[in-house]
């Protein structure tokens, strides 16, 4: 047993502990039940050992049923076939102590556990040796860690990513020729930019055999993450993925060819998968300027720039909060072309506005401003150039038709906290496309869950849908 690393700030390493019922589901899915003797199993980020505790109990029970009460031989098996890595020293010791208590019930003592207090990112002892790798990888954005620890890895070599994606690469490397990998992780990698390389691996090797989608069920306390259980099997090529919706208990065999749509993974009824395929096809063919969807203003200081009490002025415009459909007034320090006024111009021609902005200068300066954005301007340039165009605003948190907020915004009026549509189509055209059953089906298929049963979507998601619906 190695005691090389002592890190007490567990939250910095994404430690999220798994409920026992999830552990049992994963072991069952992996086939780790009866035929487990002399099979190597690893939990590569074991935390307090919730998986290892259940694994050890299973191994002891199966061994005893097969061989009877032979504690010395059982001890040798436990030391040989049960493996683990944990970076946090306190959790590492806690787990060992709990495992010692469990095996004492079988008359086994002084086990030299093959568990390591180490960083799995730099640990290769188990590579190519495991029959099973199982667990709940850390959930943490890589920018919270030293980027050097993951930049050399294939799944995480470019762009911002999540640590759990690196653990897929680690786990797959640890499998032997016929090994199985079973993780519970965020389901965001099905469609996210950070999951591109992992999806490419899955599409190339077809080794993902099972997905249990936990959907909107919040498995982990105080963690707003939507999760899925995935099972990979080495040396097998699957044409179908066994997909289970945990909420509805509905089970389907979905063809790989249908699951993968424009580089993303979608798990739905074949009818919905066909809809997604059609939407993506139309977008690829019709990607033109007839429809454009963009993000509204990002002042990074809404409470300063937006206020109903502002007096109407050439530098004050009506502004719609797309997320609520409510109107207010906004200081707009730009001309009709979207070019910023100079500080001197505002001071000379709009002295009361300038005095107001000066009174908030300290807060405005403290924003993380876009390059070339002066202290009295918006934090980001998005949406500014389209202020004097007719637009249609829409909110981005939707669960049904009643939650949709679609509003016409005439030229000379602004939009924030949502998206807006520029199009040659009429408001009625857009209205009929959005208030269509396909739109709600499409949003649900994106699986960008929010609390309260809501779904969110990006400007590109909406643009793709509208091009399909209005072609």
């Amino acid at each position: 047993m190695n005691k090389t690393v002592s890190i007490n700030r567990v939250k910095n390493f994404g430690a999220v502990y798994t409920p026992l019922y999830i552990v049992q589901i994963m072991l069952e899915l992996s086939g780790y039940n009866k035929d487990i003797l002399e099979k190597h199993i690893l939990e590569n980020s074991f935390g307090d050992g919730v998986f290892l505790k259940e694994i050890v109990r299973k191994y002891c029970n199966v061994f005893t049923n097969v061989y009877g009460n032979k504690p010395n031989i059982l001890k040798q098996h436990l030391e040989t076939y049960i493996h683990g890595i944990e970076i946090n020293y306190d959790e590492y010791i806690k787990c060992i102590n709990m495992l010692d208590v469990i095996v004492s019930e079988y008359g086994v003592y002084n086990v030299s556990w093959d568990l390591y207090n180490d960083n799995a990112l730099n640990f290769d002892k188990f590579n190519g040796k495991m029959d099973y790798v199982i667990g709940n990888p850390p959930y943490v954005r890589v920018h919270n860690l030293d980027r050097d620890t993951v930049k050399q890895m294939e799944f995480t070599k470019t762009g911002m990513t999540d640590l759990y994606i690196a653990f897929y690469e680690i786990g797959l490397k640890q499998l032997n020729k016929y090994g199985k990998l079973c993780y519970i992780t965020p389901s965001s990698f099905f469609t996210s930019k950070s999951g591109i390389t992992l999806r490419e691996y899955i599409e190339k090797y077809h080794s993902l055999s099972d997905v249990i989608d936990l959907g909107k069920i919040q498995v982990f306390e105080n963690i707003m993450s939507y999760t899925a259980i995935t099972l990979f099997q080495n040396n097998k090529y699957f044409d179908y993925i066994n997909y289970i919706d945990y909420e509805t208990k509905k089970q389907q065999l979905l063809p790989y060819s249908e699951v993968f749509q424009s580089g993303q993974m979608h798990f739905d009824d074949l009818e919905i998968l066909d809809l997604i395929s059609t939407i993506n096809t139309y977008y690829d063919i019709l990607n033109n300027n007839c429809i454009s969807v963009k993000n509204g203003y990002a002042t990074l200081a809404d409470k300063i720039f937006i206020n109903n009490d502002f007096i109407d002025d050439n530098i004050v415009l009506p502004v719609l909060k797309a997320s609520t459909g409510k109107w207010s007034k906004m200081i707009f320090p730009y001309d009709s072309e979207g070019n910023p006024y100079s500080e001197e111009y505002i001071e000379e021609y709009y002295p009361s506005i300038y005095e107001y902005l000066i009174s908030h200068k300290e807060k405005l300066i403290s924003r993380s401003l876009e390059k070339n954005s002066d202290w009295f301007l918006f934090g980001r340039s998005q949406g500014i150039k389209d202020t004097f165009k007719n637009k249609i605003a829409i909110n981005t948190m939707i669960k049904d038709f009643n939650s949709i907020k679609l509003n016409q915004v005439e030229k000379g009026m602004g939009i924030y906290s949502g998206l807006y549509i520029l199009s040659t189509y009429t408001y009625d055209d857009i209205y009929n496309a959005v208030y269509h059953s396909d739109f709600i089906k499409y949003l649900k298929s994106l699986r960008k869950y929010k609390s309260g049963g809501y779904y969110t979507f990006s400007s590109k998601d909406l643009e793709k849908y509208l091009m399909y619906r209005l072609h």
Side-chain angles (χ1 to χ4, degrees), residues 6-11 13 88-90:
S6 179
I7 299 174
N8 293 318
R9 295 166 297 172
V10 178
K11 65 180 180 180
F13 289 84
N88 182 275
Y89 181 70
D90 292 338

Side-chain angles (χ1 to χ4, degrees), residues 139 164 184-190 212-220 223-229 247 397 447-456:
Y139 299 5
Y164 78 86
I184 178 170
T185 68
S187 57
S188 56
F189 81 85
F190 294 157
I212 300 177
D213 193 342
L214 296 158
K216 298 186 291 295
I217 296 173
Q218 292 298 302
V219 175
F220 305 107
I223 299 292
M224 285 298 296
S225 182
Y226 300 96
T227 53
I229 296 168
E247 291 182 271
M397 293 272 285
R447 282 181 163 74
K448 297 180 180 180
Y449 303 114
K450 293 294 181 180
S451 60
Y454 287 83
Y455 300 86
T456 188

Side-chain angles (χ1 to χ4, degrees), residues 86-269:
E86 172 52 42
I87 195 169
N88 182 275
Y89 181 70
D90 292 338
E91 296 290 76
Y92 163 79
I93 292 299
K94 179 181 176 182
C95 176
I96 289 176
N97 290 337
M98 287 300 300
L99 295 183
D100 286 342
V101 170
I102 291 169
V103 299
S104 68
E105 299 172 8
Y106 298 85
V108 177
Y109 302 93
N110 302 318
V111 175
S112 294
W113 297 102
D114 194 40
L115 307 180
Y116 293 81
N117 175 217
D118 215 320
N119 186 346
L121 295 173
N122 306 314
F123 194 89
D124 60 7
K125 176 180 177 179
F126 297 130
N127 286 4
K129 298 178 180 178
M130 295 296 112
D131 295 291
Y132 300 91
V133 174
I134 193 163
N136 172 14
Y139 299 5
V140 61
R141 294 291 283 172
V142 167
H143 67 254
N144 292 329
L145 299 174
D146 181 355
R147 178 67 185 157
D148 290 339
T149 61
V150 295
K151 69 180 181 181
Q152 300 300 323
M153 301 182 72
E154 187 67 25
F155 289 178
T156 55
K157 64 183 179 182
T158 58
M160 188 50 61
T161 189
D162 297 279
L163 187 56
Y164 78 86
I165 291 177
F167 267 78
Y168 271 107
E169 183 169 340
I170 291 168
L172 289 166
K173 286 180 178 178
Q174 290 165 337
L175 296 180
N176 62 27
K177 186 176 181 180
Y178 299 101
K180 297 179 181 180
L181 170 72
C182 189
Y183 279 161
I184 178 170
T185 68
S187 57
S188 56
F189 81 85
F190 294 157
T191 57
S192 69
K193 185 177 180 180
S194 62
I196 288 175
T197 309
L198 174 55
R199 292 196 300 275
E200 288 174 349
Y201 174 93
I202 295 169
E203 189 171 18
K204 179 179 180 179
Y205 292 103
H206 282 225
S207 58
L208 176 62
S209 62
D210 295 80
V211 171
I212 300 177
D213 193 342
L214 296 158
K216 298 186 291 295
I217 296 173
Q218 292 298 302
V219 175
F220 305 107
E221 291 184 12
N222 304 317
I223 299 292
M224 285 298 296
S225 182
Y226 300 96
T227 53
I229 296 168
T230 51
L231 177 65
F232 291 76
Q233 301 189 52
N234 256 3
N235 206 40
K236 291 187 177 181
Y237 189 94
F238 296 93
D239 292 321
Y240 296 84
I241 295 174
N242 181 37
Y243 174 76
I244 299 173
D245 184 320
Y246 189 77
E247 291 182 271
T248 64
K249 308 303 180 187
K250 185 175 182 179
Q251 184 171 358
Q252 303 176 80
L253 282 176
L254 299 177
Y256 261 81
S257 58
E258 298 288 342
V259 167
F260 279 88
Q261 304 279 353
S262 297
Q264 296 184 336
M265 297 175 69
H266 295 273
F267 298 94
D268 285 286
D269 292 335

